[in-house]
Amino acid sequence: MTLYFTLVFLLLVAEMALFMLLIIPLPFTIRRKMFTFISESPLVAKAQHILKITFIFILILFIDSVNRVYRVQQELAAATENSSAGGRAAVMGHERLEVQARKFYSQRNMYLCGFTLFLSLILNRTYIMILETLRLEEKVKQYEGTEKNTKEAEKLAVAGEPGEIARLKRELARKDQDLKTLKEQASGLHREYDSLSEQYAKDTQQDGTPKKGR
């Protein structure tokens, strides 16, 4: 198995482990903290972008594997049609084994990439469903008056895609910085306006009449 297909296999194993972690019955508080961490962590947001690029390459490998399987099947069919008796049959039998081996490797790579892509879609959908379930449980606890940790409840209410809260925090920080810059500029303009007003008042008092522009 080549290096990139080995990496695809390792990613498939990681997806299986993550899927098992999501479906394991955990207490509500632990599961809430886990999903809140996933939504807030900037590392998860960066990993999500890297995984999106990785899945694009896996999709390309999947398409290439399907193409290879199709070509090997055509070669196998052609070898079967052209086979003859005697020594030629022995040669074709050896060639047939080689073609079948290449077909096996191509099918293995196709299934490996296909299951990795399919499991990524399942993980995304499972994450969204569990998050919606946690929000509904949170609302039920609030209606019943049994929920005490309102801060964690607010974090869960705004949680969305992995790293979404971290991304929103960065956008909010940038907006706060822009607002601070605008306030400083407005304060500078206000001071300049006061300075010009005082200078104009002094000139008016000295001359007795306002100065006219030339």
Side-chain angles (χ1 to χ4, degrees):
M1 187 181 294
T2 55
L3 178 60
Y4 43 88
F5 282 113
T6 302
L7 296 177
V8 173
F9 174 73
L10 294 176
L11 180 59
L12 178 61
V13 173
E15 287 181 341
M16 294 170 62
L18 182 58
F19 182 75
M20 292 299 298
L21 180 62
L22 289 176
I23 64 176
I24 287 177
L26 297 174
F28 176 76
T29 54
I30 297 178
R31 190 178 293 274
R32 180 175 62 183
K33 290 181 180 179
M34 181 177 68
F35 275 75
T36 303
F37 171 77
I38 292 175
S39 297
E40 289 183 343
S41 176
L43 296 178
V44 176
K46 293 179 181 179
Q48 185 185 17
H49 291 298
I50 295 174
L51 286 176
K52 287 181 179 179
I53 299 174
T54 304
F55 284 128
I56 293 175
F57 285 108
I58 294 176
L59 178 60
I60 296 174
L61 290 176
F62 175 73
I63 296 174
D64 180 68
S65 300
V66 173
N67 186 30
R68 287 177 182 272
V69 169
Y70 177 72
R71 285 186 299 176
V72 169
Q73 286 180 344
Q74 286 185 329
E75 291 180 9
L76 187 60
T80 303
E81 292 177 357
N82 296 331
S83 60
S84 57
R88 179 61 181 168
V91 174
M92 292 306 299
H94 176 72
E95 293 179 356
R96 183 183 179 88
L97 290 177
E98 182 182 355
V99 173
Q100 287 180 341
R102 288 195 288 117
K103 179 181 178 181
F104 167 76
Y105 290 129
S106 300
Q107 288 179 339
R108 180 202 63 187
N109 297 335
M110 179 184 68
Y111 292 138
L112 180 62
C113 296
F115 281 124
T116 303
L117 293 172
F118 182 68
L119 188 55
S120 66
L121 299 176
I122 293 178
L123 278 175
N124 184 50
R125 186 59 186 169
T126 304
Y127 174 83
I128 294 174
M129 291 176 63
I130 295 177
L131 183 60
E132 291 296 330
T133 303
L134 290 176
R135 287 173 177 170
L136 291 175
E137 291 182 7
E138 193 74 40
K139 290 181 180 179
V140 171
K141 290 179 179 295
Q142 291 177 357
Y143 291 150
E144 293 177 350
T146 58
E147 178 58 38
K148 303 298 182 182
N149 197 344
T150 57
K151 186 176 180 180
E152 292 293 333
E154 291 175 356
K155 289 183 179 181
L156 182 63
V158 298
E161 293 293 329
E164 184 175 355
I165 293 180
R167 178 180 60 82
L168 293 175
K169 285 183 177 180
R170 290 194 300 269
E171 292 181 359
L172 183 60
R174 287 197 296 266
K175 291 183 182 297
D176 289 341
Q177 184 64 32
D178 294 340
L179 183 60
K180 182 179 179 181
T181 303
L182 289 175
K183 287 182 178 179
E184 291 177 353
Q185 292 177 354
S187 178
L189 290 174
H190 185 69
R191 288 194 300 269
E192 185 68 22
Y193 176 77
D194 290 342
S195 176
L196 291 174
S197 299
E198 292 177 359
Q199 184 66 32
Y200 179 77
K202 290 180 180 179
D203 293 341
T204 303
Q205 291 176 0
Q206 290 176 359
D207 297 344
T209 55
K211 288 184 178 181
K212 296 182 179 179
R214 297 180 179 179

